[in-house]
Amino acid sequence: MTKETIIQKIISNKNRPHLDFSLKDKTELFTTNLFYTLFDANTCVAKNIEQLELDFKEIYNLACINKDKKCTEIWGKFLLKLPEILENLNLDAQELVDNDPASNNIEEVYLAYPGFYAIAIYRFSHELFKLNTPVIPRLMSEYAHSKTGTDIHPGATIGKSFFIDHATGTVIGETCLIKDHVKIYQGVTLGALQVEKSLKNTKRHPTVENNVTIYANATILGGNTVIGENTIIGGNVWITESIPKNSLVYHKAEIKLKTKL
């Protein structure tokens, strides 16, 4: 087979004429600039908002196969939500300061906590997801995933004062509902019991009520699974049924000690 034949075979099998990978790179840059606009003291908010609007129009046009002219409408609605998003993120950061003994101040949380960064990008992407923005919310969430090891689907619904410590390996599914003052540690999975395409429009992921703490590597599965308020879920547990409020759930491991000969 000649080189020319190989090239023609590759070209003939590239059957996605609208797939432009610059969309991924430009969305990541947009996401970073959005974060800086809200948190960096040296960033001019007015100037950055103007640039963000231009950048959003560019990535929206790349994302849309069918040009529906909704870009300006979506951006306007998203912009209206930014002050509220910032207020909620400040609450998230304060929750980390108040509950993590390793944190020294809120500036450290903004700068150095991967869990906070993952939550921030989730809150941006979630608003765009609710506005039916094509593919961009998923690209934003995957960007945060690549930087933090935390995978939060933009379709998940998360309340106020949310806390993710250490962050790595945390997975929160699309139809998950998390209420206020919930704390999650590394390796937690809030997932589905089944993975079938026919379940796309059903609630597949758990509900977590107010003031719940979920420790490392716990797995909670199922759309009908509800973790009641004020409950503590210990590390390494596997849950597929609802837990009543004010519960303590833990995994009891058997550890054996044997003297070496």
Side-chain angles (χ1 to χ4, degrees), residues 10-111:
I10 292 172
I11 292 172
S12 66
N13 281 287
K14 289 180 68 172
N15 58 356
R16 293 292 182 270
H18 301 286
L19 184 60
D20 185 339
F21 270 80
S22 71
L23 170 60
K24 180 180 174 68
D25 298 331
K26 290 173 181 178
T27 298
E28 292 176 358
L29 181 61
F30 169 81
T31 303
T32 299
N33 288 341
L34 187 54
F35 188 86
Y36 272 61
T37 301
L38 296 192
F39 295 106
D40 181 51
N42 297 312
T43 296
C44 175
V45 173
K47 181 179 178 181
N48 258 39
I49 289 294
E50 295 298 322
Q51 186 61 52
L52 285 167
E53 182 175 4
L54 295 174
D55 294 343
F56 182 77
K57 287 180 179 178
E58 182 179 12
I59 61 177
Y60 187 87
N61 286 330
L62 286 170
C64 287
I65 296 174
N66 300 314
K67 308 304 180 187
D68 54 14
K69 298 183 180 179
K70 291 183 179 178
C71 178
T72 301
E73 177 185 346
I74 289 174
W75 174 254
K77 290 180 178 178
F78 179 69
L79 188 60
L80 284 173
K81 281 287 187 178
L82 276 183
E84 180 183 341
I85 292 172
L86 179 56
E87 290 174 8
N88 284 332
L89 287 172
N90 288 335
L91 292 175
D92 297 327
Q94 192 61 52
E95 192 80 1
L96 279 158
V97 172
D98 292 344
N99 290 280
D100 181 11
S103 67
N104 296 303
N105 50 61
I106 202 164
E107 288 79 11
E108 183 181 40
V109 171
Y110 293 136
L111 286 166

Side-chain angles (χ1 to χ4, degrees), residues 176-196:
C176 195
L177 171 59
I178 298 173
K179 297 191 178 178
D180 299 339
H181 295 283
V182 170
K183 301 173 186 62
I184 290 178
Y185 290 79
Q186 71 273 15
V188 167
T189 298
L190 301 176
L193 267 173
Q194 304 176 64
V195 182
E196 295 179 11

Side-chain angles (χ1 to χ4, degrees), residues 148-213:
T148 67
T150 300
D151 185 2
I152 308 177
H153 193 286
T157 302
I158 300 176
K160 295 182 178 181
S161 300
F162 186 46
F163 172 116
I164 305 179
D165 199 11
H166 303 295
T168 307
T170 300
V171 177
I172 299 174
E174 178 184 14
T175 62
C176 195
L177 171 59
I178 298 173
K179 297 191 178 178
D180 299 339
H181 295 283
V182 170
K183 301 173 186 62
I184 290 178
Y185 290 79
Q186 71 273 15
V188 167
T189 298
L190 301 176
L193 267 173
Q194 304 176 64
V195 182
E196 295 179 11
K197 195 67 175 179
S198 61
L199 299 174
K200 178 175 176 58
N201 296 317
T202 62
K203 189 178 187 305
R204 309 181 301 280
H205 306 95
T207 295
V208 181
E209 298 285 354
N210 295 330
N211 301 308
V212 169
T213 299

